[in-house]
Amino acid sequence: MGYAHYEISRNGQTIQAGYAVEAACEENGCNEKIDRGLGYLCGKHPGGDEHGCGGYYCGQHLTYDNQCQRCADAADNANRWVHPGTGEEFDLRDHFLPAGATYDGRGTVWKHLGDFDGDTPLLTPVSASGERPTGEVARPITEGEWQDASEFIGRRKVDA
């Protein structure tokens, strides 16, 4: 199958898709001319998936994750976890370091890979460069204090 022109099923309808199919942005009130290629797709797969609705949007109406604003907001809410004891909010898509740890791009960061202990997310140690699990035991996010690795990296660049 080529990506210039093909048919997909979306919301129970068959539509034409592909980079050779002219369209308008599907955001209400926007008429910017686009195509139905992958570059304008909300999500990762034509027709919709767990990453997006499958709509087609101009660059102004797609977020950096190739999602329309509604899907980006839903993803933010789905990945938000609030510590019941402290009220601290966590974005489970982030990479974490134990508080006070030093970031090393060749070292280990901690990431939520979808595992829970009851209602508590588990953080698994992964290699910072390849995001592969290191084989060490995962820890509940409630165990100890954590810092967002990207914020630490940003502070380090400012301090340098």
Side-chain angles (χ1 to χ4, degrees):
M1 167 175 104
Y3 291 106
H5 191 269
Y6 51 96
E7 288 186 348
I8 61 169
S9 177
R10 182 179 73 169
N11 300 324
Q13 279 188 308
T14 300
I15 65 168
Q16 305 298 309
Y19 61 83
V21 177
E22 294 181 5
C25 176
E26 294 180 17
E27 181 65 33
N28 289 333
C30 183
N31 295 315
E32 184 168 333
K33 300 244 183 263
I34 60 169
D35 60 57
R36 286 197 179 142
L38 298 176
Y40 296 105
L41 176 67
C42 174
K44 294 186 178 183
H45 298 288
D49 57 17
E50 68 273 15
H51 302 286
C53 64
Y56 294 89
Y57 299 89
C58 68
Q60 181 179 345
H61 294 111
L62 276 180
T63 67
Y64 65 93
D65 276 339
N66 269 43
Q67 294 176 311
C68 68
Q69 194 60 55
R70 286 172 295 285
C71 290
D73 290 345
D76 286 347
N77 288 335
N79 287 290
R80 182 177 159 263
W81 186 81
V82 179
H83 189 299
T86 65
E88 183 178 5
E89 291 186 21
F90 292 88
D91 185 334
L92 298 179
R93 296 169 289 190
D94 289 340
H95 295 157
F96 298 94
L97 290 170
T102 303
Y103 177 80
D104 179 350
R106 298 164 295 175
T108 301
V109 294
W110 296 72
K111 182 173 172 93
H112 176 64
L113 300 178
D115 298 319
F116 288 82
D117 179 11
D119 292 334
T120 304
L122 294 176
L123 296 179
T124 300
V126 298
S127 65
S129 59
E131 294 194 21
R132 292 189 192 113
T134 63
E136 296 174 57
V137 177
R139 292 179 16 193
I141 199 167
T142 54
E143 184 180 300
E145 292 184 28
W146 299 94
Q147 59 191 10
D148 181 339
S150 65
E151 290 177 12
F152 180 79
I153 294 165
R155 283 195 308 267
R156 211 169 122 198
K157 287 180 182 177
V158 170
D159 294 344

